[in-house]
Amino acid sequence: MNDVMIPVVDIAADVARVGAVLGSAGVGLEGGGVWGGTARYLVDDGAAAVSALAAAGIDGAVAKPALVVPLRADVPGELGRMMNALHAAGVQIEAQYSDHDNRKVFVVDDPERAERVLR
């Protein structure tokens, strides 16, 4: 899975355009959101997403590998446990959000180490 990061200014208009472009390219969004002037979406094919956005004149999109792990949402404190484990392992986190299947998405500096810690 891949995290696609896209700069946005006018959130409604920019995300509407991003959604239309990616949808037309057959790229489905499996999670994500918008915060701090940046849209981030979980996609299967990051290269296809970035290529479609660039072809439509949407510049600045970047795809990075994303680690997707189950979240025990019924366990209070589960997110804290996950974050503590990553911190203790020295994993640097660029982003974290949820997908549509109740899993946590992490964009980190060392996906292999993060996966070992969280699995």
Side-chain angles (χ1 to χ4, degrees), residues 54-67:
I58 300 173
D59 297 321
V62 176
K64 293 184 178 181
L67 175 63

Side-chain angles (χ1 to χ4, degrees), residues 2-11 13-22 27 29 31-43 46 48-54 56-64 94 97:
N2 293 269
D3 170 77
V4 176
M5 182 176 69
I6 310 148
V8 294
V9 177
D10 181 339
I11 293 173
D14 292 349
V15 171
R17 186 165 177 228
V18 165
V21 166
L22 293 178
V27 177
L29 306 180
V34 179
W35 53 93
T38 303
R40 296 190 91 116
Y41 295 107
L42 182 66
V43 300
V50 170
S51 178
L53 293 166
I58 300 173
D59 297 321
V62 176
K64 293 184 178 181
E94 179 180 323
Y97 53 92

Side-chain angles (χ1 to χ4, degrees), residues 69-118:
V69 296
L71 173 67
R72 296 180 308 172
D74 59 329
V75 177
E78 180 66 358
L79 176 60
R81 182 200 64 78
M82 296 170 97
M83 298 301 267
N84 280 328
L86 292 169
H87 175 72
V91 174
Q92 297 299 306
I93 302 168
E94 179 180 323
Q96 75 79 30
Y97 53 92
S98 298
D99 75 353
H100 298 152
D101 290 320
N102 208 28
R103 298 176 299 178
K104 274 307 201 195
V105 178
F106 293 97
V107 181
V108 297
D109 66 337
D110 189 339
E112 292 80 21
R113 184 169 16 139
E115 186 167 17
R116 282 193 309 272
V117 168
L118 294 176

